Amino acid sequence: MDLFDRLNKLRERGLAEIAKVKNEQTLNEVRVKLVGRKSELTEILHSMKDVDPDKRRDIGKQVNKVRDLFNHNLDNVKTEIAKELAEKQLEKERIDVTLPGRTTHVGSKHPINIILDDLEKYFIGMGYQVVQGPEIETDHYCFEMMNLPKDHPARDMQETFYIDTEDLLRSQTSGDQARVLETFDFSKGPLKMVGPGKVYRRDDDDATHSHQFMQMEGLVVDKNITMGDLKGILEMMTKHVFGQDRKTRLRPSYFPFTEPSVEMDVSCFNCDGKGCAICKYTGWIEVLGAGMVHPNVLENAGIDSKIYGGFAFGVGLDRFAILKYGIDDIRDFYTNDVRFLEQFSKEER
Ligand code: PHE
């Protein structure tokens, strides 16, 4: 067959083959076959040596033309395939901006923290400092410095978890009093502090008892502090938290670190003072202990109790939260059920 004929046929066949190519892999196969070193085009070039020298140039030109044409079309197909691939990829990764967004879950403040934060602000506003003692306290600060020597019978009121003979999970925040008193510089003015934090007592958990709860210690020491100052602060604080209408009362009590000592009750949220199971049919719920700082506590910290005196109180924040929000099971505070916690998401943050 004439080499020109052969070239023409090859061109038609080649172009048809290129047109059928659908993917990268066949594209490479077709490229090797049509313009590779062992292609028919190369073969035709080799066979030119048997052709007339004047025809040779024309055939050479024609071979180059066909090769250029093949390469050109192969490149076009290549661009086409790449474009299709990119489109497919885009389609796959398409973002539907009309879909509703995913909301992140915002937690809510724990009811005890709502009360605590509010009280801290309240006391800071009156010039108190906020201190924080360790939850693992020493027997020395928790008891001895607070006028509770090792053999004192009142220790039985607060059975707790000892870690060793000297360290314990504190049963009260009163140790904070001793820690601050020990280092306080009275030349700078009166001592006014609150110390919030978790405390622990060995107890059988039920609706009104928990082996862990939150307390807030309060201490004011200066010259000429009276029981009237204490009563005033306690009443103001309870009215601030519960509103002007809730009734309060003080009862005489006993604590080794205060003399005289009192306990404060708030009228029951559930029966409004008539008597029910929650207030054990008394109409009242005890919320804090308080009293005038015992001289021994001051002397233990190196303070002259003939010059200085003061008052102290310890608030049960769980009780405050129970009364304020009408919660009937103290264990709800510590079991972290979000359905319980979410009820307070509308409260002040
Ligand atoms: N620490 C006492 C308690 O936990 C409360 C209290 C504090 C009483 C300060 C008087 C003064 O029961």
Side-chain angles (χ1 to χ4, degrees):
M1 189 178 13
D2 179 43
L3 275 183
F4 280 113
D5 273 355
R6 216 178 137 187
L7 257 176
N8 278 338
K9 289 228 169 75
L10 173 61
R11 196 185 64 205
E12 295 315 308
R13 237 189 306 123
L15 288 178
E17 233 171 297
I18 293 171
K20 272 192 280 175
V21 169
K22 288 270 179 295
N23 59 47
E24 196 96 21
Q25 200 195 336
T26 36
L27 178 74
N28 284 336
E29 283 164 16
V30 171
R31 191 190 289 278
V32 169
K33 187 172 159 199
L34 294 181
V35 293
R37 255 185 295 117
K38 291 178 184 155
S39 63
E40 203 177 334
L41 270 181
T42 321
E43 223 175 84
I44 293 175
L45 274 180
H46 286 319
S47 52
M48 276 192 347
K49 58 183 186 311
D50 312 323
V51 177
D52 253 14
D54 28 312
K55 258 193 177 180
R56 228 183 259 169
R57 259 187 59 196
D58 290 346
I59 291 180
K61 261 192 190 164
Q62 203 57 26
V63 167
N64 284 342
K65 256 192 186 167
V66 174
R67 184 190 289 113
D68 287 349
L69 187 63
F70 282 170
N71 276 329
H72 178 76
N73 281 18
L74 284 164
D75 288 348
N76 279 353
V77 171
K78 188 178 170 155
T79 332
E80 205 53 42
I81 289 174
K83 215 169 102 189
E84 257 171 50
L85 220 74
E87 267 164 21
K88 262 194 207 145
Q89 189 74 10
L90 272 180
E91 186 62 30
K92 224 168 66 190
E93 291 171 6
R94 191 156 108 179
I95 296 166
D96 184 350
V97 291
T98 66
L99 278 176
R102 280 189 208 127
T103 49
T104 43
H105 185 87
V106 179
S108 53
K109 231 187 212 180
H110 194 283
I112 291 179
N113 280 333
I114 297 173
I115 295 206
L116 174 57
D117 289 353
D118 177 55
L119 279 176
E120 278 187 7
K121 253 192 254 162
Y122 182 70
F123 278 104
I124 287 169
M126 291 191 294
Y128 284 58
Q129 56 167 321
V130 179
V131 304
Q132 213 148 28
E135 265 178 50
I136 298 176
E137 184 57 287
T138 56
D139 189 277
H140 175 73
Y141 283 111
C142 197
F143 296 131
E144 306 239 348
M145 287 287 279
M146 297 310 290
N147 201 28
L148 271 147
K150 286 233 160 38
D151 54 356
H152 199 293
R155 281 199 178 206
D156 292 348
M157 285 160 56
Q158 294 187 9
E159 254 197 288
T160 188
F161 305 97
Y162 275 85
I163 288 163
D164 49 46
T165 48
E166 185 52 29
D167 301 298
L168 53 116
L169 294 183
R170 64 179 172 185
S171 56
Q172 53 180 2
T173 44
S174 297
D176 294 355
Q177 287 190 39
R179 285 177 179 275
V180 175
L181 281 170
E182 226 175 27
T183 53
F184 194 77
D185 177 2
F186 282 93
S187 69
K188 295 209 172 104
L191 162 57
K192 293 175 20 177
M193 59 146 257
V194 286
K198 205 175 266 171
V199 298
Y200 303 83
R201 286 184 200 176
R202 208 200 63 77
D203 217 336
D204 293 324
D205 291 6
D206 63 25
T208 54
H209 295 88
S210 170
H211 64 280
Q212 58 176 331
F213 52 99
M214 284 285 266
Q215 259 190 353
M216 190 181 70
E217 197 74 15
L219 175 68
V220 171
V221 176
D222 196 10
K223 295 168 187 162
N224 306 320
I225 304 276
T226 69
M227 189 111 184
D229 297 319
L230 170 63
K231 201 174 168 216
I233 282 287
L234 296 183
E235 265 181 29
M236 271 163 59
M237 169 176 67
T238 31
K239 294 224 157 104
H240 169 74
V241 175
F242 300 113
Q244 301 297 317
D245 300 337
R246 238 312 134 56
K247 288 194 271 311
T248 58
R249 72 172 185 191
L250 288 179
R251 277 182 293 109
S253 184
Y254 170 76
F255 298 105
F257 30 87
T258 45
E259 183 57 38
S261 302
V262 291
E263 273 172 321
M264 186 180 239
D265 299 334
V266 174
S267 57
C268 177
F269 68 91
N270 193 42
C271 60
D272 204 20
K274 286 184 207 69
C276 67
I278 287 175
C279 58
K280 302 204 180 83
Y281 300 96
T282 62
W284 299 95
I285 294 177
E286 178 202 321
V287 290
L288 61 86
M292 303 309 287
V293 179
H294 195 292
N296 286 358
V297 173
L298 297 170
E299 297 291 340
N300 284 348
I303 295 159
D304 190 342
S305 63
K306 284 186 208 67
I307 302 174
Y308 290 100
F311 63 75
F313 56 87
V315 183
L317 292 175
D318 300 63
R319 294 276 174 88
F320 264 34
I322 282 172
L323 281 163
K324 177 149 183 160
Y325 299 119
I327 291 159
D328 52 17
D329 196 326
I330 193 170
R331 289 168 293 193
D332 286 337
F333 290 140
Y334 302 103
T335 42
N336 289 336
D337 186 331
V338 287
R339 289 168 303 181
F340 170 74
L341 297 172
E342 271 168 0
Q343 297 174 68
F344 304 94
S345 58
K346 301 248 165 12
E347 295 291 330
E348 187 206 352
R349 283 174 185 280

